[in-house]
Amino acid sequence: QVQLVESGGGLVQAGGSLRLSCAASGRIYSVNDMGWYRQAPGKQRELVATITRGGITNYADSVKGRFTISRDGAKNTVSLQMNSLKPEDTAVFYCNAKITDLTLRTSPYWGQGTQVTVSS
């Protein structure tokens, strides 16, 4: 079994900051690309940021310059530092990781989601 557990969501005023964290655990052989997605009410899930094992990052245009994704390879964790938050950032944020398990099967895994609410 492999699971992703997120933490760090909450309520913040516009202009504020939050930090999300996600830890992968279980029968893991290796963790490949990791990332964060979000889904606002009535909208489709969208990519926020991704990071490769080598540290190459990719961001949605809407968060460039405000959000920073990072990972700790030794701990199998990924974090998202969110600054200058806007009301339109309000969404459920999901951690995603492509993980190779001990049977050497590679699959995408999702966390349970954490709510981020930005008040104006």
Side-chain angles (χ1 to χ4, degrees), residues 18-39:
L18 280 175
R19 185 177 180 85
L20 305 182
S21 295
C22 173
S25 63
R27 298 171 59 81
I28 295 171
Y29 177 79
S30 67
V31 180
N32 307 302
D33 293 356
M34 304 185 82
W36 291 93
Y37 291 71
R38 66 185 179 187
Q39 188 166 17

Side-chain angles (χ1 to χ4, degrees), residues 73-89:
K75 296 180 180 179
N76 290 333
T77 59
V78 61
S79 298
L80 185 69
Q81 177 66 41
M82 305 186 292
N83 298 328
S84 302
L85 282 161
K86 305 175 181 179
E88 50 263 44
D89 293 318

Side-chain angles (χ1 to χ4, degrees), residues 91-115:
V92 178
F93 281 69
Y94 296 90
C95 175
N96 171 271
K98 195 173 296 183
I99 294 174
T100 301
D101 63 24
L102 294 181
T103 70
L104 300 184
R105 183 174 70 177
T106 300
S107 305
Y109 290 87
W110 292 92
Q112 78 281 6
T114 185
Q115 178 70 46

Side-chain angles (χ1 to χ4, degrees), residues 32-74:
N32 307 302
D33 293 356
M34 304 185 82
W36 291 93
Y37 291 71
R38 66 185 179 187
Q39 188 166 17
K43 294 188 177 182
Q44 289 189 331
R45 191 173 298 188
E46 64 176 4
L47 180 147
V48 175
T50 60
I51 184 167
T52 67
R53 287 183 66 182
I56 298 172
T57 59
N58 179 53
Y59 295 93
D61 288 343
S62 60
V63 306
K64 282 181 181 176
R66 300 188 298 124
F67 292 9
T68 302
I69 189 171
S70 60
R71 67 186 288 171
D72 185 328

